[in-house]
Amino acid sequence: MNERQPARRPGGRSARVGTQVHQAVTDLISERGYGNFTVGDVAAHAGVADSSIYRRWGNLETLLTDVALTRLNAQSPMPDTGSLAGDLRTYAAQVAREITGPDGPAVLHLAFALSSSGQQGQQAGAALRAERTRQLESMLDRARDRGERAPDAFEVLDHILAPMYIRVLFGMVPLTPDYVDGLVDRLL
């Protein structure tokens, strides 16, 4: 007997629910701020049962950590323009677009709030920094392989990413292309 198994759809309901819940968290952070909503609020906003959220994430802190890590680590491939200056300019412009996009400030506020909220939040912050560092190291290693003098990943974090994050977190002057390029110029 040749019994057919139902075909699994890539993405499917689970992916759709995950996307809806992540968007609901981001929307609620934008509307209410960190710490001002519950799993029930997220479920209602996402149009799912709160039991679905508890089953998948366990608690609100784990869900918030997942949202922050997923959104901030959802990177396009690291640029490979053939020069370190080109790679850094392209990467910095890409990050600037991400963090100033519709959900960018909310996700940055979430990541900041989580990193200062207990052991799990600190672990989430460490995981985010480790992933950003890994991404940067791949770009910097390519530059070194080409014979270019490259800074270390922490210098890129300190001189390019941190100033952009601070400006977005505190609603300061927009991240213009000239400003972003200036950060890269000062580092190099």
Side-chain angles (χ1 to χ4, degrees):
M1 205 178 231
N2 191 5
E3 207 171 300
R4 284 184 58 192
Q5 294 290 329
R8 291 194 63 112
R9 294 173 297 170
R13 184 181 188 290
S14 180
R16 189 174 60 252
V17 167
T19 299
Q20 289 171 285
V21 169
H22 275 220
Q23 188 60 53
V25 167
T26 305
D27 292 346
L28 288 167
I29 290 169
S30 292
E31 293 167 13
R32 302 181 189 177
Y34 176 77
N36 296 315
F37 55 88
T38 65
V39 167
D41 295 330
V42 173
H45 196 85
V48 301
D50 56 355
S51 60
S52 295
I53 294 173
Y54 285 115
R55 187 172 37 258
R56 187 164 179 176
W57 288 280
N59 60 44
L60 184 60
E61 185 88 355
T62 301
L63 169 60
L64 296 176
T65 300
D66 183 49
V67 170
L69 290 173
T70 300
R71 293 288 177 99
L72 290 172
N73 284 334
Q75 296 289 317
S76 304
M78 292 304 283
D80 189 359
T81 65
S83 74
L84 178 59
D87 290 351
L88 286 172
R89 281 186 197 348
T90 302
Y91 178 70
Q94 175 183 306
V95 170
R97 278 191 305 276
E98 290 169 3
I99 64 175
T100 59
D103 297 335
V107 173
L108 274 182
H109 282 281
L110 172 59
F112 179 75
L114 280 171
S115 69
S116 59
S117 68
Q119 185 177 359
Q120 188 174 8
Q122 291 170 354
Q123 289 170 343
L128 175 61
R129 285 187 302 279
E131 179 58 19
R132 284 285 191 192
T133 301
R134 185 197 62 72
Q135 292 169 351
L136 291 170
E137 285 297 342
S138 71
M139 178 176 53
L140 299 170
D141 286 344
R142 271 196 322 267
R144 289 182 195 104
D145 291 345
R146 289 189 301 258
E148 294 179 85
R149 197 173 129 249
D152 68 34
F154 287 105
E155 289 176 296
V156 176
L157 290 169
D158 287 343
H159 297 281
I160 297 175
L161 297 180
M164 290 194 298
Y165 288 176
I166 292 296
R167 282 182 175 240
V168 170
L169 282 169
F170 292 105
M172 297 167 66
V173 179
L175 302 179
T176 65
D178 286 343
Y179 173 76
V180 173
D181 282 347
L183 294 173
V184 173
D185 291 341
R186 283 189 290 281
L187 173 63
L188 295 177

